Amino acid sequence: MNKLPLGDNTASSRVNCWFDPSFFDLPGESFSLPVRRKGSQALGSKAEPKRQKKRKGEVSNSDPHASCLMKESAQRDQDDPWVDRYSPSSQAELAVHKKKIEEVESWMRLHTNSSKGGILLLTGPSGCGKTATVQVLSRELGLRIQEWINPTNLEPYSSSQHEWRLNSLSCSSQLVQFQEFLLRANKYNCLRMLGDGGTADRKLILVEDFPNQFYMQPGTLHENLRRFVKISRHPLVFIVSDSLSGDSSSRFLFPREIQEELDISSISFNPVAPTTMMKILTRISSLEGRKKTCGKMGTPDQAVLEKLCSGSSGDIRSAINSLQFSTLPDMSLHKGLRMMKKDRLVTSLDKDVFRTNQRKRKKQTKEQKEEQAIGGKDASLFLFRALGKILHCKRGNHECVGSGGGAGSCLPSHLCHHDREELLADPELVVERSHMSGEFFNLYLHQNYLNFFSDVEDVERASEYLSDADLLTADWTSRSTMEDYGSSVATRGLIHSNSQHISGGFRPLHKPNWLLVNKKHRENCLAAQSLFRNFCLTPVSLQTELLPYLAKLTSPMRNQAQITFIQDVGQMSLRRFPSRVKLETLMEKEPGERKMDSEEEEEDKEEGLPTSQPQLTTSQVLLEEEDLVIEEYTSD
Amino acid sequence: MFPSTPLCRFHVESCIYLSPATILTPSSLRSLGGNSSAVASEKYFAGERLLCQHGTTTGITLNNHHTMSLWVDKYRPTSLGKLDYHKEQAAQLKNLVQCGDFPHLLVYGPSGAGKKTRIMCLLRELYGAGVEKLRIEHQTVVAPSKKKIEINTIASNYHLEINASDAGNQDRVVIQELIKTVAQSQQIQSSTQREFKVVLLTEVDRLTKDAQHALRRTMEKYMATCRLILCCISTSKVIGPIRSRCLAIRVPLPSTEEVCNVLTTVCKKEGLLLPPELAKQISDKSGRNLRKALLMCEACRVQQYPFSVDQDIPETDWEVYLRETANLIVSQQSPQKLLEVRARLYELLTHCIPPEIIMKGLVTELLNNCDGHLKTEVAHMAAYYEHRLQLGNKAIYHLEAFTAKFMAVYKKFMEDGLDAMMF
């Protein structure tokens, strides 16, 4: 993974490692390794070979853990993380779609053959094989990867004087070091070492690990890149994982305009497809099974593999890790399954409806737990499906419950209109899995719920629940805690109040209009205030009295901005069906927009920027025009 | 960097901010170059309290007579003697000014009753014509949290008008900082002028509680150098301590006749002949809101002249739109209809109509379609959801919930009515 400028002989042996090994923390393994894995290797280049060795835990004498590592090295062979052992060595083994590989490959070919380097940005969820693709391809193209790794100045185990001195030398800021790294990597070729191929003059600079500073001030990164682009001779590849929870660091670090300005090509990877993943998992498990001699590992069967596959949600690294994990003797899955079966036997003895219900729920959660225990990665639900789960509100079968509990209702007679069948989906879980804030999820629900209702009484109740939910989250001091309750009230309220559900049929779902409308409302209000400031009116009377009437008057002395604004806002076309509010259909796999778009005035710190931007420019126009007026006034 | 004379001058200007005319003209401000001058002066006069610590102040002179030709502004009375109605109150105010001692005032009354006009007349009575030279200033106040708050103020050399509720949650800081700046500088020629300046705060009822408490303290502290005139629609949202520190002046709506009189005089000044019947209609339709009445009258003029008695008075688009929305609600009660209504509500919101006004208008229109005991129920519902609207975060939830509730109630009412007719 980390091919380093000078540590060639060691690094070449490491080249095969596919992903970060993740099982160093397991009991029985060496616990010292992770400490140094991401240590400061990139720039203290003289210290490199040494540290490299230490990292491998093979030769170094200075490492206190070396001896214990030596002893373990035999066992290590077995416990080597499978992600490393079975890392792909050719394009065929990559779990990435062919098209994507081709795309990256053609970019690499283009930019290594020309003398001028370019910048490539790879994005995609973690564990979809971005790094592996770059590594495999660069090996095939005969490129040397030079990678930036954030240096750390923390050296808890450095005992030797020599090392200390070196560290203190390299004790400049990460930012400066990054700049130097880019410069040097670009300018100088690597030193030829023994045992090195002749191909080393072509290289590729890889940055996967961004100095923290850039997250705070992406501007500095852009500045560096601009400088780099001017003198670049080697291709530079950035790899940014984007996460479903949507901090969108790629958009933050590489905004669209920068991408255009610097001519950055961007390729985004998709999560690994289940079939591809199955193939790889099967291959690995069969290889392992063949190798298995001591019999302490169980071979997972097809069902387990599938479960792993679905549990990992397209993250092949975590899938392989959990595969290895699940074949460990102690953690064997089968044991867990057996226990679960026993559980089920016990509970199934109960005949009571209530218990049956409980049992069902228990079973459900058990299944989920099972998946989680193996997969380790949270299963996530696309927004489209999550909304569907709430809005379609599938309920249990009537007969099923009826046979268990006789009358089918345990509610007293005056409450029996509240009686509902059991839900198939747990609303809270659905919201949680949609990776969305409850408030935002409610907006989506609100946008779409009306199409699923047929009765006005039901709508009345549902809308009241939504109103309740909004009220719960109104106070920003307690919002973070109340949000869960709010979403619970909204989802359950909607489901409960939908007594006569229109069944069947696909209905398109839409994105909420509210955010847009609200933003527009505020923008317009601000613009109104700044444009018509010289009328000295309070906002309300300005917006409800003056502007609409101004639209009806022919008042001559107004500038263009005011005229267009009045035409836009003061007038309303009465007959026309409102076309301003466009419905945006929610696509099936689309992640929702995560940002609440500066919606709450009170606590939103960054609120000013996006909304005030147009307003500022308009007021700027006003200022200039009014300046002329001032001159008239002073000359009087 | 700067030659010494202009710097000194600027220094003087800064300290006597808002004092005698001519010095702080916008041109001089401009000649000093806005922001950079602020920085420079701060550098040169470190330790001095300068206005420019707040950041940039950009001045724009208001030039009422050139840029505006609306009747509302054109024929706005400028002195207490010229006010058209509530003359007794005007005389009292005049006395108040002449007595010398001048308390803080709290002027309240419905929109369009002429509060602001009255206050400006009062200021003119206090300071003379100089108070009419207004300029809009864009001020930046830095909150303790280092957040910059931008706010527009309207000022003459003698007074400063702030609508602090523009600053949202940060209104407390704005009030404290701006009043402090005004109050800490003395009038320069106190022999010929009043000893105090006036800070006019509009929309006091929309201030947060925090800001109101801050205001109370500020009022006491700077009583010597400045007077506050607070302006609001209702005192119910103004905290007790403030109410008790002010002389409350209620400006009620003019009567229908008074509105008619004003309309007729304005039309006469414009050289138009307004039939008394039309004047009556306008004043009825405007709800005695004089501003609205004048705007309506002017719109009538654009629509048709000579006026005819049965001419229909132009209403604002949003009011018509809102009425249509209400009709839509009454016409059919179904989820699909509600969806349509929601789209219309969104449309109203994007046209800058505040949600409270939408709610109010909707209720008024809906109530016309209800009878008997349904009216009380609907009004109760409306109050309930209006309250939630105030508390809540996203207006559409509550507007829609109200609509849905009304639909359900109305539908039930109609069905019951049908059943009763069957028997």
Side-chain angles (χ1 to χ4, degrees):
Chain A
M1 157 157 199
N2 309 313
K3 200 170 180 185
L4 291 144
L6 292 170
D8 285 316
N9 41 359
T10 46
S12 60
S13 70
R14 292 283 297 175
V15 125
N16 278 357
C17 119
W18 189 9
F19 292 115
D20 288 353
S22 319
F23 285 121
F24 289 142
D25 288 345
L26 278 183
E29 290 250 357
S30 147
F31 50 88
S32 71
L33 277 163
V35 176
R36 283 301 164 78
R37 279 232 61 241
K38 293 256 178 184
S40 70
Q41 318 144 309
L43 272 176
S45 48
K46 278 180 189 158
E48 273 320 313
K50 190 171 185 186
R51 216 169 295 158
Q52 197 62 36
K53 282 175 203 157
K54 204 165 23 170
R55 222 161 51 102
K56 291 299 291 174
E58 278 159 6
V59 199
S60 168
N61 297 324
S62 63
D63 196 317
H65 299 286
S67 53
C68 107
L69 282 178
M70 295 263 271
K71 261 182 252 163
E72 276 177 3
S73 67
Q75 197 202 343
R76 225 168 172 299
D77 244 6
Q78 273 182 353
D79 294 343
D80 207 22
W82 291 0
V83 277
D84 290 349
R85 204 186 296 169
Y86 298 105
S87 66
S89 53
S90 67
Q91 280 193 35
E93 281 179 38
L94 278 174
V96 184
H97 196 273
K98 281 220 172 55
K99 287 268 171 56
K100 286 280 176 226
I101 303 178
E102 271 170 28
E103 223 175 307
V104 180
E105 192 182 356
S106 63
W107 186 91
M108 278 184 163
R109 277 189 198 283
L110 185 73
H111 287 268
T112 46
N113 290 337
S114 68
S115 60
K116 200 175 166 354
I119 304 179
L120 174 69
L121 173 66
L122 294 182
T123 56
S126 56
C128 67
K130 300 180 292 290
T131 315
T133 309
V134 170
Q135 260 151 11
V136 166
L137 283 177
S138 60
R139 193 158 57 237
E140 287 186 359
L141 295 175
L143 295 175
R144 175 205 292 268
I145 294 181
Q146 194 156 16
E147 189 183 358
W148 161 260
I149 287 171
N150 279 345
T152 51
N153 289 327
L154 210 67
E155 290 289 333
Y157 295 115
S158 70
S159 49
S160 87
Q161 200 61 36
H162 175 64
E163 218 175 58
W164 174 248
R165 194 167 53 80
L166 271 177
N167 279 328
S168 60
L169 271 180
S170 67
C171 196
S172 51
S173 81
Q174 269 192 6
L175 209 64
V176 175
Q177 291 187 21
F178 183 76
Q179 278 169 7
E180 279 176 9
F181 167 77
L182 271 189
L183 187 76
R184 286 184 193 168
N186 192 39
K187 231 176 182 172
Y188 307 117
N189 280 329
C190 301
L191 291 178
R192 295 287 174 86
M193 298 299 264
L194 275 180
D196 214 7
T199 55
D201 52 333
R202 293 197 305 166
K203 66 180 174 185
L204 176 140
I205 309 169
L206 177 68
V207 178
E208 215 178 333
D209 201 7
F210 289 89
N212 291 330
Q213 182 77 9
F214 290 152
Y215 289 103
M216 282 177 279
Q217 297 165 331
T220 48
L221 172 67
H222 304 154
E223 215 36 62
N224 276 327
L225 288 183
R226 277 189 202 111
R227 222 173 302 150
F228 176 81
V229 162
K230 272 183 213 144
I231 54 162
S232 70
R233 284 159 50 197
H234 297 286
L236 173 62
V237 177
F238 287 101
I239 295 182
V240 182
S241 303
D242 43 24
S243 58
L244 235 152
S245 54
D247 53 352
S248 69
S249 53
S250 65
R251 244 185 303 160
F252 183 64
L253 287 171
F254 299 94
R256 181 72 50 195
E257 59 271 14
I258 289 294
Q259 288 194 19
E260 272 163 23
E261 182 194 330
L262 300 176
D263 197 21
I264 300 178
S265 2
S266 163
I267 299 174
S268 84
F269 281 54
N270 295 328
V272 178
T275 45
T276 327
M277 191 182 293
M278 259 324 264
K279 220 182 290 170
I280 287 173
L281 289 185
T282 326
R283 184 172 65 88
I284 292 178
S285 70
S286 67
L287 280 176
E288 273 303 314
R290 218 176 298 151
K291 217 199 285 182
K292 178 185 73 172
T293 45
C294 46
K296 73 171 187 175
M297 286 190 191
T299 333
D301 54 3
Q302 195 69 15
V304 174
L305 286 185
E306 263 165 22
K307 203 153 275 170
L308 285 175
C309 196
S310 65
S312 64
S313 57
D315 183 345
I316 190 146
R317 176 176 18 217
S318 101
I320 296 176
N321 281 342
S322 20
L323 177 67
Q324 183 177 18
F325 187 59
S326 66
T327 49
L328 284 180
D330 299 336
M331 325 272 177
S332 172
L333 179 69
H334 301 286
K335 205 167 167 186
L337 280 175
R338 241 177 282 130
M339 269 167 61
M340 217 169 294
K341 271 179 196 147
K342 222 192 283 174
D343 250 4
R344 265 178 225 173
L345 275 175
V346 173
T347 43
S348 66
L349 289 175
D350 300 313
K351 282 274 188 314
D352 198 18
V353 187
F354 186 64
R355 290 287 177 83
T356 330
N357 289 351
Q358 261 202 335
R359 175 175 63 95
K360 258 192 194 160
R361 196 161 300 146
K362 215 184 264 172
K363 193 164 49 174
Q364 254 179 16
T365 51
K366 275 271 165 54
E367 270 159 16
Q368 281 149 10
K369 258 185 208 145
E370 185 184 348
E371 209 169 274
Q372 304 261 307
I374 306 161
K377 191 152 180 168
D378 288 344
S380 62
L381 218 52
F382 278 109
L383 179 62
F384 188 86
R385 293 197 51 210
L387 285 174
K389 270 189 195 293
I390 301 291
L391 290 170
H392 283 290
C393 59
K394 297 245 167 61
R395 291 183 180 278
N397 229 349
H398 186 74
E399 297 85 52
C400 175
V401 179
S403 63
S409 167
C410 8
L411 290 175
S413 58
H414 68 283
L415 287 176
C416 62
H417 60 280
H418 284 309
D419 189 40
R420 300 283 189 279
E421 310 302 338
E422 202 204 342
L423 280 177
L424 287 187
D426 180 20
E428 283 79 23
L429 204 68
V430 169
V431 176
E432 192 190 309
R433 284 182 173 197
S434 72
H435 292 281
M436 232 184 211
S437 75
E439 221 175 324
F440 205 49
F441 194 81
N442 287 356
L443 272 178
Y444 269 93
L445 284 180
H446 171 255
Q447 179 66 38
N448 294 300
Y449 79 101
L450 282 177
N451 279 330
F452 294 81
F453 283 71
S454 60
D455 196 30
V456 182
E457 279 79 30
D458 290 350
V459 172
E460 179 215 325
R461 273 197 301 277
S463 63
E464 180 155 10
Y465 280 119
L466 284 174
S467 165
D468 285 337
D470 182 48
L471 220 55
L472 282 178
T473 53
D475 184 21
W476 61 272
T477 48
S478 59
R479 185 169 297 156
S480 50
T481 34
M482 295 309 284
E483 199 173 63
D484 295 339
Y485 297 99
S487 80
S488 202
V489 166
T491 48
R492 286 186 181 272
L494 276 189
I495 292 171
H496 180 78
S497 52
N498 199 353
S499 63
Q500 296 164 347
H501 181 251
I502 320 173
S503 59
F506 171 79
R507 281 176 218 101
L509 297 179
H510 301 285
K511 291 181 185 169
N513 286 329
W514 166 254
L515 296 181
L516 192 70
V517 168
N518 189 39
K519 195 172 150 216
K520 193 118 198 206
H521 176 72
R522 284 198 293 148
E523 266 173 28
N524 281 345
C525 289
L526 281 176
Q529 258 160 279
S530 68
L531 281 176
F532 300 93
R533 201 188 292 154
N534 42 5
F535 285 93
C536 309
L537 283 177
T538 56
V540 173
S541 49
L542 178 71
Q543 288 150 21
T544 60
E545 289 165 18
L546 186 73
L547 286 183
Y549 276 113
L550 274 183
K552 296 198 175 294
L553 299 177
T554 47
S555 193
M557 296 283 279
R558 265 179 262 133
N559 61 39
Q560 192 54 44
Q562 286 177 323
I563 291 171
T564 44
F565 186 79
I566 284 175
Q567 278 167 356
D568 191 37
V569 173
Q571 287 173 337
M572 296 184 79
S573 53
L574 300 177
R575 307 282 165 253
R576 171 179 62 125
F577 189 77
S579 63
R580 186 189 297 244
V581 183
K582 289 253 165 46
L583 288 179
E584 239 186 306
T585 316
L586 177 69
M587 302 318 285
E588 191 158 353
K589 296 242 164 134
E590 207 168 340
E593 296 147 59
R594 322 253 152 214
K595 296 245 162 73
M596 291 292 273
D597 264 347
S598 66
E599 207 196 339
E600 295 79 26
E601 290 160 68
E602 316 91 31
E603 80 284 19
D604 208 342
K605 297 287 191 288
E606 304 128 302
E607 182 232 342
L609 269 180
T611 48
S612 68
Q613 213 57 33
Q615 182 254 335
L616 274 182
T617 54
T618 51
S619 70
Q620 199 55 47
V621 171
L622 188 75
L623 280 181
E624 283 158 17
E625 288 178 22
E626 298 273 352
D627 265 352
L628 297 175
V629 182
I630 293 170
E631 246 147 27
E632 275 170 40
Y633 165 69
T634 46
S635 67
D636 275 355
Chain B
M1 188 161 141
F2 276 91
S4 60
T5 18
L7 257 179
C8 287
R9 212 174 128 218
F10 185 73
H11 170 56
V12 171
E13 281 165 22
S14 312
C15 287
I16 50 148
Y17 170 56
L18 293 181
S19 304
T22 64
I23 297 186
L24 195 77
T25 58
S27 66
S28 72
L29 245 184
R30 202 150 29 103
S31 71
L32 282 162
N35 201 8
S36 65
S37 72
V39 175
S41 60
E42 200 144 26
K43 212 186 284 172
Y44 281 85
F45 295 97
E48 294 274 0
R49 272 195 79 86
L50 296 180
L51 155 77
C52 295
Q53 70 185 335
H54 293 302
T56 19
T57 318
T58 342
I60 303 169
T61 313
L62 273 182
N63 211 334
N64 279 322
H65 300 288
H66 290 292
T67 50
M68 277 172 263
S69 55
L70 286 179
W71 294 357
V72 190
D73 297 311
K74 210 163 160 187
Y75 302 109
R76 190 186 294 278
T78 49
S79 71
L80 284 174
K82 285 184 196 157
L83 285 172
D84 291 292
Y85 50 89
H86 307 327
K87 294 197 186 225
E88 203 176 318
Q89 190 186 50
Q92 282 170 346
L93 285 176
K94 204 164 188 170
N95 281 337
L96 189 71
V97 172
Q98 275 158 2
C99 277
D101 195 14
F102 183 74
H104 299 303
L105 298 184
L106 174 62
V107 182
Y108 65 102
S111 168
K115 301 181 290 291
K116 201 66 174 301
T117 311
R118 213 152 278 249
I119 293 169
M120 289 315 287
C121 291
L122 183 76
L123 288 177
R124 194 191 148 97
E125 192 73 28
L126 270 173
Y127 297 109
V131 90
E132 280 160 22
K133 276 184 188 150
L134 297 174
R135 55 180 185 271
I136 296 174
E137 287 173 334
H138 194 72
Q139 303 218 10
T140 316
V141 179
V142 182
S145 60
K146 295 281 183 290
K147 190 185 176 181
K148 279 189 179 156
I149 308 155
E150 304 200 331
I151 194 152
N152 291 314
T153 58
I154 300 164
S156 74
N157 293 319
Y158 308 100
H159 86 288
L160 176 70
E161 178 183 334
I162 313 166
N163 186 349
S165 55
D166 285 350
N169 246 24
Q170 302 284 342
D171 49 2
R172 183 181 63 87
V173 188
V174 169
I175 282 197
Q176 282 179 327
E177 287 299 311
L178 290 185
I179 295 182
K180 204 190 286 171
T181 337
V182 175
Q184 281 178 345
S185 58
Q186 303 271 335
Q187 294 276 40
I188 225 174
Q189 299 160 289
S190 52
S191 51
T192 54
Q193 278 158 345
R194 307 273 163 184
E195 284 162 355
F196 52 85
K197 279 179 289 190
V198 170
V199 176
L200 169 56
L201 290 174
T202 52
E203 290 197 294
V204 182
D205 42 358
R206 284 185 55 206
L207 290 181
T208 57
K209 288 278 174 297
D210 241 19
Q212 295 195 22
H213 283 290
L215 188 59
R216 183 187 69 165
R217 183 81 192 91
T218 318
M219 272 169 135
E220 286 168 351
K221 207 168 169 187
Y222 300 112
M223 186 69 187
T225 49
C226 90
R227 297 286 180 276
L228 292 180
I229 299 182
L230 313 178
C231 183
C232 60
I233 289 176
S234 148
T235 52
S236 64
K237 282 185 182 171
V238 180
I239 57 169
I242 288 186
R243 270 185 278 171
S244 80
R245 279 169 174 76
C246 296
L247 175 67
I249 299 170
R250 178 174 152 77
V251 183
L253 282 177
S255 68
T256 315
E257 292 74 43
E258 282 162 345
V259 174
C260 288
N261 282 341
V262 172
L263 289 178
T264 325
T265 17
V266 165
C267 280
K268 204 181 279 168
K269 279 179 193 161
E270 279 285 310
L272 307 172
L273 192 70
L274 182 71
E277 293 85 354
L278 188 62
K280 175 87 167 49
Q281 273 176 31
I282 291 177
S283 87
D284 281 343
K285 199 141 198 183
S286 65
R288 286 150 63 204
N289 178 338
L290 193 59
R291 185 188 311 120
K292 211 171 167 185
L294 280 166
L295 285 168
M296 273 179 174
C297 189
E298 200 176 346
C300 279
R301 162 77 182 81
V302 172
Q303 189 187 45
Q304 181 189 351
Y305 189 77
F307 293 120
S308 69
V309 176
D310 53 351
Q311 152 177 29
D312 54 314
I313 297 151
E315 275 181 291
T316 55
D317 284 348
W318 69 267
E319 283 169 318
V320 181
Y321 196 80
L322 194 60
R323 183 173 323 126
E324 280 173 13
T325 312
N327 292 340
L328 209 65
I329 296 173
V330 175
S331 71
Q332 193 198 331
Q333 294 81 37
S334 70
Q336 272 62 44
K337 229 16 158 205
L338 186 59
L339 210 54
E340 229 172 286
V341 171
R342 183 202 289 170
R344 295 180 73 99
L345 292 178
Y346 277 150
E347 188 76 350
L348 281 166
L349 282 173
T350 47
H351 280 89
C352 282
I353 310 298
E356 304 87 48
I357 306 269
I358 296 179
M359 179 74 112
K360 199 174 151 198
L362 211 55
V363 178
T364 324
E365 297 294 341
L366 288 176
L367 280 179
N368 293 337
N369 288 300
C370 309
D371 56 21
H373 71 281
L374 199 57
K375 272 194 169 137
T376 54
E377 199 178 338
V378 170
H380 180 254
M381 264 154 44
Y384 178 73
Y385 282 107
E386 175 13 271
H387 183 222
R388 297 182 142 222
L389 191 69
Q390 300 292 342
L391 294 178
N393 215 347
K394 301 183 185 63
I396 190 68
Y397 286 132
H398 311 291
L399 287 173
E400 190 171 301
F402 169 68
T403 316
K405 185 108 185 162
F406 177 83
M407 278 183 168
V409 169
Y410 192 75
K411 194 176 176 201
K412 188 157 182 303
F413 176 73
M414 294 305 275
E415 277 165 3
D416 289 353
L418 274 182
D419 288 348
M421 287 219 313
M422 300 285 255
F423 287 115

